Amino acid sequence: MMLYPAMNKLTSFVPNRYMLVNVVARRARQIAADAEENGEHLNEKPVTMAIHEVADGKLDATNMDLTIEEPEEQI
């Protein structure tokens, strides 16, 4: 089975596989949330779109929003 894009191409932008999974998952959630908010239909899955962004060099670990949202307190 051949993986496209190749793992070595993806890890050239994100240093290791574990960080790659984190970056892709976070970006995929952003893509899905934006599409839902705007009522857009996606032709590809958000994960596929995020992987292609990494492969194209548009996304790496340095330009991700690393802030953690705190849950709102329930009163």
Side-chain angles (χ1 to χ4, degrees):
M1 181 174 127
M2 186 170 183
L3 176 67
Y4 177 80
M7 184 59 74
N8 62 353
K9 182 174 183 179
L10 296 174
T11 55
S12 68
F13 295 106
V14 180
N16 64 56
R17 292 175 185 213
Y18 302 105
M19 187 177 290
L20 176 65
V21 168
N22 192 343
V23 168
V24 168
R26 188 178 296 244
R27 179 63 181 134
R29 284 191 297 271
Q30 289 174 349
I31 291 169
D34 290 344
E36 185 176 338
E37 183 178 302
N38 297 328
E40 296 175 15
H41 172 73
L42 299 176
N43 294 327
E44 290 183 304
K45 292 184 179 183
V47 172
T48 302
M49 295 171 72
I51 288 172
H52 286 292
E53 287 183 8
V54 172
D56 293 339
K58 296 177 185 175
L59 181 64
D60 62 17
T62 60
N63 60 6
M64 288 300 298
D65 178 18
L66 299 176
T67 60
I68 298 173
E69 295 180 16
E70 295 292 326
E72 295 181 22
E73 287 188 30
Q74 300 289 329
I75 298 178

